[in-house]
CSV table of all heavy atoms in Angstrom, one decimal:
chain,number,residue,atom,x,y,z
E,143,MET,N,88.5,82.9,140.5
E,143,MET,CA,89.5,83.3,139.6
E,143,MET,C,89.0,84.5,138.9
E,143,MET,O,87.8,84.4,138.4
E,143,MET,CB,90.0,82.2,138.7
E,143,MET,CG,91.0,82.7,137.8
E,143,MET,SD,91.6,81.7,136.5
E,143,MET,CE,91.4,80.0,136.9
E,144,LYS,N,89.8,85.6,138.7
E,144,LYS,CA,89.4,86.8,137.9
E,144,LYS,C,89.5,86.5,136.4
E,144,LYS,O,90.5,85.9,136.0
E,144,LYS,CB,90.2,88.0,138.3
E,144,LYS,CG,89.9,88.5,139.7
E,144,LYS,CD,90.6,89.8,139.9
E,144,LYS,CE,90.2,90.4,141.2
E,144,LYS,NZ,90.9,91.7,141.5
E,145,ALA,N,88.6,87.0,135.7
E,145,ALA,CA,88.7,87.0,134.2
E,145,ALA,C,89.7,87.9,133.7
E,145,ALA,O,89.9,89.1,134.2
E,145,ALA,CB,87.3,87.3,133.6
E,146,LYS,N,90.5,87.6,132.6
E,146,LYS,CA,91.4,88.5,132.1
E,146,LYS,C,90.6,89.6,131.3
E,146,LYS,O,89.6,89.3,130.6
E,146,LYS,CB,92.3,87.8,131.0
E,146,LYS,CG,93.3,86.9,131.7
E,146,LYS,CD,94.2,86.3,130.6
E,146,LYS,CE,95.3,85.5,131.3
E,146,LYS,NZ,96.3,85.0,130.3
E,147,PRO,N,91.2,90.8,131.3
E,147,PRO,CA,90.5,91.9,130.6
E,147,PRO,C,90.6,91.7,129.1
E,147,PRO,O,91.6,91.1,128.6
E,147,PRO,CB,91.2,93.2,131.0
E,147,PRO,CG,92.5,92.7,131.6
E,147,PRO,CD,92.3,91.3,132.1
E,148,ALA,N,89.6,92.1,128.3
E,148,ALA,CA,89.7,91.9,126.8
E,148,ALA,C,90.8,92.8,126.3
E,148,ALA,O,91.1,93.9,126.8
E,148,ALA,CB,88.3,92.3,126.3
E,149,ARG,N,91.4,92.3,125.2
E,149,ARG,CA,92.5,93.0,124.5
E,149,ARG,C,91.8,94.0,123.5
E,149,ARG,O,90.9,93.6,122.9
E,149,ARG,CB,93.4,92.1,123.8
E,149,ARG,CG,94.3,91.3,124.7
E,149,ARG,CD,95.4,90.7,124.1
E,149,ARG,NE,96.4,91.8,123.7
E,149,ARG,CZ,97.5,91.6,123.1
E,149,ARG,NH1,97.9,90.4,122.7
E,149,ARG,NH2,98.2,92.7,122.8
E,150,VAL,N,92.4,95.1,123.4
E,150,VAL,CA,91.9,96.1,122.4
E,150,VAL,C,92.9,96.2,121.4
E,150,VAL,O,94.1,96.4,121.6
E,150,VAL,CB,91.7,97.5,123.1
E,150,VAL,CG1,91.2,98.5,122.1
E,150,VAL,CG2,90.6,97.3,124.2
E,151,MET,N,92.5,96.0,120.1
E,151,MET,CA,93.4,96.2,119.0
E,151,MET,C,93.3,97.6,118.5
E,151,MET,O,92.3,98.1,118.0
E,151,MET,CB,93.1,95.2,117.9
E,151,MET,CG,93.1,93.8,118.3
E,151,MET,SD,94.8,93.2,118.7
E,151,MET,CE,95.5,93.2,117.1
E,152,VAL,N,94.5,98.3,118.5
E,152,VAL,CA,94.5,99.7,118.0
E,152,VAL,C,95.6,99.8,117.0
E,152,VAL,O,96.7,99.2,117.2
E,152,VAL,CB,94.8,100.7,119.1
E,152,VAL,CG1,94.9,102.1,118.6
E,152,VAL,CG2,93.7,100.6,120.2
E,153,GLY,N,95.3,100.4,115.8
E,153,GLY,CA,96.3,100.5,114.8
E,153,GLY,C,96.3,101.9,114.2
E,153,GLY,O,95.4,102.7,114.4
E,154,SER,N,97.3,102.2,113.4
E,154,SER,CA,97.3,103.4,112.6
E,154,SER,C,98.0,103.2,111.3
E,154,SER,O,98.8,102.3,111.1
E,154,SER,CB,98.0,104.5,113.4
E,154,SER,OG,99.4,104.1,113.6
E,155,ALA,N,97.6,104.0,110.4
E,155,ALA,CA,98.2,103.9,109.0
E,155,ALA,C,98.2,105.3,108.4
E,155,ALA,O,97.6,106.3,108.9
E,155,ALA,CB,97.3,103.1,108.1
E,156,ALA,N,99.0,105.5,107.4
E,156,ALA,CA,99.2,106.8,106.7
E,156,ALA,C,99.4,106.5,105.2
E,156,ALA,O,99.9,105.5,104.8
E,156,ALA,CB,100.4,107.6,107.3
E,157,ALA,N,98.9,107.5,104.5
E,157,ALA,CA,99.1,107.4,103.0
E,157,ALA,C,99.4,108.8,102.5
E,157,ALA,O,98.9,109.8,103.1
E,157,ALA,CB,97.9,106.8,102.2
E,158,ALA,N,100.0,109.0,101.4
E,158,ALA,CA,100.3,110.3,100.8
E,158,ALA,C,99.8,110.4,99.4
E,158,ALA,O,100.0,109.5,98.6
E,158,ALA,CB,101.8,110.6,100.9
E,159,PHE,N,99.2,111.5,99.1
E,159,PHE,CA,98.8,111.8,97.7
E,159,PHE,C,99.6,112.9,97.2
E,159,PHE,O,99.6,114.0,97.7
E,159,PHE,CB,97.3,112.2,97.7
E,159,PHE,CG,96.8,112.5,96.3
E,159,PHE,CD1,96.4,111.5,95.5
E,159,PHE,CD2,96.8,113.8,95.8
E,159,PHE,CE1,95.9,111.8,94.2
E,159,PHE,CE2,96.4,114.0,94.5
E,159,PHE,CZ,95.9,113.0,93.7
E,160,ILE,N,100.6,112.5,96.3
E,160,ILE,CA,101.5,113.4,95.7
E,160,ILE,C,101.3,113.6,94.2
E,160,ILE,O,101.4,112.7,93.5
E,160,ILE,CB,103.0,112.9,96.0
E,160,ILE,CG1,103.2,112.7,97.5
E,160,ILE,CG2,104.0,113.9,95.5
E,160,ILE,CD1,104.4,112.0,97.9
E,161,GLN,N,101.0,114.9,93.9
E,161,GLN,CA,100.7,115.2,92.5
E,161,GLN,C,101.6,116.3,92.1
E,161,GLN,O,101.8,117.3,92.7
E,161,GLN,CB,99.2,115.6,92.4
E,161,GLN,CG,98.8,115.8,91.0
E,161,GLN,CD,97.3,116.1,90.9
E,161,GLN,OE1,96.7,116.5,91.8
E,161,GLN,NE2,96.7,115.9,89.7
E,162,ARG,N,102.2,116.1,90.8
E,162,ARG,CA,103.0,117.1,90.2
E,162,ARG,C,102.2,118.1,89.5
E,162,ARG,O,100.9,118.0,89.4
E,162,ARG,CB,103.9,116.4,89.2
E,162,ARG,CG,104.9,115.5,89.8
E,162,ARG,CD,105.9,114.8,88.9
E,162,ARG,NE,105.9,115.1,87.5
E,162,ARG,CZ,106.8,114.7,86.6
E,162,ARG,NH1,107.8,114.0,87.1
E,162,ARG,NH2,106.7,115.1,85.4
E,163,ASP,N,102.8,119.3,89.1
E,163,ASP,CA,102.1,120.3,88.4
E,163,ASP,C,101.5,119.8,87.1
E,163,ASP,O,100.5,120.4,86.7
E,163,ASP,CB,103.0,121.5,88.2
E,163,ASP,CG,103.4,122.3,89.5
E,163,ASP,OD1,102.7,122.1,90.4
E,163,ASP,OD2,104.5,122.9,89.4
E,164,ASP,N,102.1,118.9,86.5
E,164,ASP,CA,101.6,118.3,85.2
E,164,ASP,C,100.5,117.3,85.4
E,164,ASP,O,100.0,116.7,84.4
E,164,ASP,CB,102.7,117.8,84.3
E,164,ASP,CG,103.3,116.6,84.9
E,164,ASP,OD1,102.9,116.1,86.0
E,164,ASP,OD2,104.3,116.1,84.3
E,165,GLY,N,100.0,117.1,86.6
E,165,GLY,CA,98.9,116.2,86.9
E,165,GLY,C,99.3,114.7,87.2
E,165,GLY,O,98.5,114.0,87.6
E,166,ARG,N,100.6,114.4,87.0
E,166,ARG,CA,101.0,113.0,87.3
E,166,ARG,C,101.0,112.8,88.8
E,166,ARG,O,101.3,113.7,89.6
E,166,ARG,CB,102.4,112.7,86.8
E,166,ARG,CG,102.4,112.8,85.2
E,166,ARG,CD,103.8,112.7,84.6
E,166,ARG,NE,104.3,111.4,85.0
E,166,ARG,CZ,105.6,111.0,84.6
E,166,ARG,NH1,106.3,111.9,84.0
E,166,ARG,NH2,106.0,109.8,84.9
E,167,VAL,N,100.7,111.6,89.2
E,167,VAL,CA,100.5,111.1,90.6
E,167,VAL,C,101.5,110.1,90.9
E,167,VAL,O,101.7,109.1,90.1
E,167,VAL,CB,99.1,110.7,90.9
E,167,VAL,CG1,99.0,110.2,92.4
E,167,VAL,CG2,98.1,111.8,90.6
E,168,LEU,N,102.1,110.2,92.1
E,168,LEU,CA,103.1,109.2,92.5
E,168,LEU,C,102.4,107.9,93.0
E,168,LEU,O,101.5,108.0,94.0
E,168,LEU,CB,104.0,109.7,93.6
E,168,LEU,CG,105.0,108.7,94.2
E,168,LEU,CD1,106.0,108.2,93.2
E,168,LEU,CD2,105.7,109.3,95.4
E,169,LEU,N,102.6,106.8,92.5
E,169,LEU,CA,102.1,105.5,93.0
E,169,LEU,C,103.3,104.5,93.1
E,169,LEU,O,104.3,104.7,92.5
E,169,LEU,CB,101.1,104.9,92.0
E,169,LEU,CG,99.9,105.7,91.7
E,169,LEU,CD1,99.0,105.0,90.6
E,169,LEU,CD2,99.0,105.8,93.0
E,170,VAL,N,103.1,103.5,94.0
E,170,VAL,CA,104.2,102.5,94.2
E,170,VAL,C,103.5,101.2,94.1
E,170,VAL,O,102.3,101.0,94.3
E,170,VAL,CB,104.9,102.7,95.6
E,170,VAL,CG1,105.6,104.0,95.7
E,170,VAL,CG2,103.8,102.6,96.7
E,171,ARG,N,104.3,100.2,93.7
E,171,ARG,CA,103.7,98.8,93.6
E,171,ARG,C,103.8,98.1,94.9
E,171,ARG,O,104.9,98.0,95.5
E,171,ARG,CB,104.5,98.0,92.5
E,171,ARG,CG,103.8,96.7,92.1
E,171,ARG,CD,104.4,96.0,91.0
E,171,ARG,NE,104.4,96.7,89.8
E,171,ARG,CZ,103.4,96.6,88.8
E,171,ARG,NH1,102.5,95.7,89.0
E,171,ARG,NH2,103.5,97.3,87.7
E,172,HIS,N,102.7,97.7,95.4
E,172,HIS,CA,102.6,97.0,96.7
E,172,HIS,C,103.3,95.7,96.6
E,172,HIS,O,103.1,94.8,95.7
E,172,HIS,CB,101.1,96.7,97.1
E,172,HIS,CG,101.0,96.3,98.5
E,172,HIS,ND1,101.1,94.9,98.8
E,172,HIS,CD2,100.6,96.9,99.6
E,172,HIS,CE1,100.9,94.7,100.1
E,172,HIS,NE2,100.6,95.9,100.6
E,173,ALA,N,104.3,95.4,97.5
E,173,ALA,CA,105.1,94.2,97.4
E,173,ALA,C,104.3,92.9,97.6
E,173,ALA,O,104.6,91.9,97.0
E,173,ALA,CB,106.2,94.2,98.5
E,174,GLY,N,103.3,92.9,98.4
E,174,GLY,CA,102.5,91.7,98.6
E,174,GLY,C,101.5,91.4,97.5
E,174,GLY,O,101.2,90.2,97.2
E,175,THR,N,100.9,92.4,96.9
E,175,THR,CA,99.8,92.2,95.9
E,175,THR,C,100.2,92.5,94.6
E,175,THR,O,99.5,92.1,93.6
E,175,THR,CB,98.6,93.0,96.3
E,175,THR,OG1,98.9,94.4,96.2
E,175,THR,CG2,98.1,92.7,97.7
E,176,GLY,N,101.3,93.3,94.3
E,176,GLY,CA,101.7,93.7,93.0
E,176,GLY,C,100.8,94.9,92.4
E,176,GLY,O,101.0,95.3,91.3
E,177,ARG,N,99.8,95.3,93.2
E,177,ARG,CA,98.9,96.4,92.8
E,177,ARG,C,99.6,97.8,93.0
E,177,ARG,O,100.4,97.9,93.8
E,177,ARG,CB,97.6,96.4,93.5
E,177,ARG,CG,96.8,95.2,93.2
E,177,ARG,CD,95.5,95.2,94.0
E,177,ARG,NE,94.7,94.0,93.6
E,177,ARG,CZ,93.4,93.9,93.9
E,177,ARG,NH1,92.8,94.9,94.5
E,177,ARG,NH2,92.7,92.9,93.5
E,178,TRP,N,99.2,98.8,92.2
E,178,TRP,CA,99.6,100.1,92.3
E,178,TRP,C,98.8,100.8,93.4
E,178,TRP,O,97.6,100.8,93.4
E,178,TRP,CB,99.5,100.8,91.0
E,178,TRP,CG,100.5,100.4,90.0
E,178,TRP,CD1,100.2,99.5,89.0
E,178,TRP,CD2,101.9,100.7,89.9
E,178,TRP,NE1,101.4,99.2,88.3
E,178,TRP,CE2,102.4,99.9,88.8
E,178,TRP,CE3,102.8,101.5,90.6
E,178,TRP,CZ2,103.7,100.0,88.5
E,178,TRP,CZ3,104.1,101.5,90.3
E,178,TRP,CH2,104.6,100.8,89.2
E,179,VAL,N,99.5,101.4,94.4
E,179,VAL,CA,98.9,102.1,95.5
E,179,VAL,C,99.6,103.4,95.9
E,179,VAL,O,100.7,103.6,95.4
E,179,VAL,CB,98.9,101.2,96.8
E,179,VAL,CG1,98.1,99.9,96.6
E,179,VAL,CG2,100.3,100.8,97.2
E,180,MET,N,99.0,104.2,96.7
E,180,MET,CA,99.6,105.4,97.2
E,180,MET,C,100.7,105.0,98.2
E,180,MET,O,100.6,104.0,98.9
E,180,MET,CB,98.6,106.3,97.8
E,180,MET,CG,97.6,107.0,96.9
E,180,MET,SD,96.6,108.2,97.7
E,180,MET,CE,95.7,107.2,98.8
E,181,PRO,N,101.8,105.8,98.2
E,181,PRO,CA,102.9,105.4,99.2
E,181,PRO,C,102.4,105.6,100.6
E,181,PRO,O,101.5,106.6,100.9
E,181,PRO,CB,104.0,106.4,98.8
E,181,PRO,CG,103.3,107.5,98.0
E,181,PRO,CD,102.2,106.9,97.4
E,182,GLY,N,102.7,104.8,101.5
E,182,GLY,CA,102.3,104.9,102.9
E,182,GLY,C,102.6,103.6,103.6
E,182,GLY,O,103.4,102.8,103.1
E,183,GLY,N,101.9,103.4,104.7
E,183,GLY,CA,102.2,102.2,105.5
E,183,GLY,C,101.4,102.1,106.7
E,183,GLY,O,100.6,103.0,107.0
E,184,LYS,N,101.7,101.2,107.5
E,184,LYS,CA,100.9,101.0,108.8
E,184,LYS,C,101.9,100.5,109.8
E,184,LYS,O,103.0,100.0,109.5
E,184,LYS,CB,99.8,100.0,108.7
E,184,LYS,CG,100.2,98.7,108.3
E,184,LYS,CD,98.9,97.8,108.1
E,184,LYS,CE,99.3,96.4,107.7
E,184,LYS,NZ,98.2,95.5,107.6
E,185,ASN,N,101.6,100.8,111.1
E,185,ASN,CA,102.6,100.4,112.2
E,185,ASN,C,102.4,98.9,112.4
E,185,ASN,O,101.4,98.3,112.1
E,185,ASN,CB,102.4,101.2,113.4
E,185,ASN,CG,101.0,100.9,114.1
E,185,ASN,OD1,100.0,100.6,113.4
E,185,ASN,ND2,101.0,101.1,115.4
E,186,ASP,N,103.4,98.3,113.0
E,186,ASP,CA,103.4,96.9,113.4
E,186,ASP,C,103.9,96.8,114.8
E,186,ASP,O,105.1,96.9,115.1
E,186,ASP,CB,104.3,96.1,112.4
E,186,ASP,CG,104.3,94.6,112.7
E,186,ASP,OD1,103.5,94.2,113.6
E,186,ASP,OD2,105.1,93.9,112.2
E,187,ASP,N,103.0,96.6,115.7
E,187,ASP,CA,103.4,96.4,117.1
E,187,ASP,C,103.8,95.0,117.5
E,187,ASP,O,103.9,94.8,118.7
E,187,ASP,CB,102.2,96.9,118.0
E,187,ASP,CG,102.0,98.4,117.9
E,187,ASP,OD1,102.9,99.1,117.6
E,187,ASP,OD2,100.8,98.8,118.1
E,188,GLY,N,103.8,94.1,116.5
E,188,GLY,CA,104.2,92.8,116.8
E,188,GLY,C,103.1,92.0,117.4
E,188,GLY,O,102.0,92.4,117.5
E,189,PRO,N,103.4,90.7,117.8
E,189,PRO,CA,102.4,89.8,118.2
E,189,PRO,C,101.7,90.2,119.5
E,189,PRO,O,100.6,89.7,119.8
E,189,PRO,CB,103.0,88.4,118.2
E,189,PRO,CG,104.5,88.8,118.5
E,189,PRO,CD,104.7,90.1,117.7
E,190,HIS,N,102.3,91.0,120.3
E,190,HIS,CA,101.8,91.3,121.6
E,190,HIS,C,101.3,92.7,121.8
E,190,HIS,O,100.8,93.1,122.8
E,190,HIS,CB,102.9,91.0,122.7
E,190,HIS,CG,103.4,89.6,122.7
E,190,HIS,ND1,102.6,88.5,123.0
E,190,HIS,CD2,104.5,89.1,122.3
E,190,HIS,CE1,103.2,87.4,122.8
E,190,HIS,NE2,104.4,87.7,122.4
E,191,GLY,N,101.4,93.5,120.7
E,191,GLY,CA,100.9,94.9,120.7
E,191,GLY,C,101.8,95.7,121.6
E,191,GLY,O,102.7,95.3,122.2
E,192,GLY,N,101.4,97.0,121.6
E,192,GLY,CA,101.8,98.0,122.5
E,192,GLY,C,103.3,98.4,122.3
E,192,GLY,O,103.9,99.1,123.0
C-alpha cells in the first residue's frame, strides 16, 4: 500500500497601517480577543484547504 503524501498548510494574511495627517492611526477591536489591532484579516480555506 502506498503512503499518502504529506499535507502542506499554506496561508496568507494582510494588515493595513492607516495614518492621518494629524498622526492618528486607525485601529479596530478584534472580535475574539477584544484587543486593538490594525485592520486586516486572513484567508480561511476551510477544513480541507485549497
Side-chain angles (χ1 to χ4, degrees):
M143 181 185 332
K144 288 187 178 181
K146 288 186 177 183
R149 291 195 70 179
V150 177
M151 299 297 288
V152 177
S154 61
F159 181 82
I160 302 171
Q161 185 175 22
R162 294 180 6 169
D163 290 337
D164 64 4
R166 294 174 66 180
V167 176
L168 176 65
L169 296 175
V170 296
R171 192 173 295 265
H172 188 278
T175 65
R177 293 183 177 192
W178 290 99
V179 296
M180 290 186 293
K184 60 184 179 179
N185 68 327
D186 181 8
D187 289 333
H190 303 293

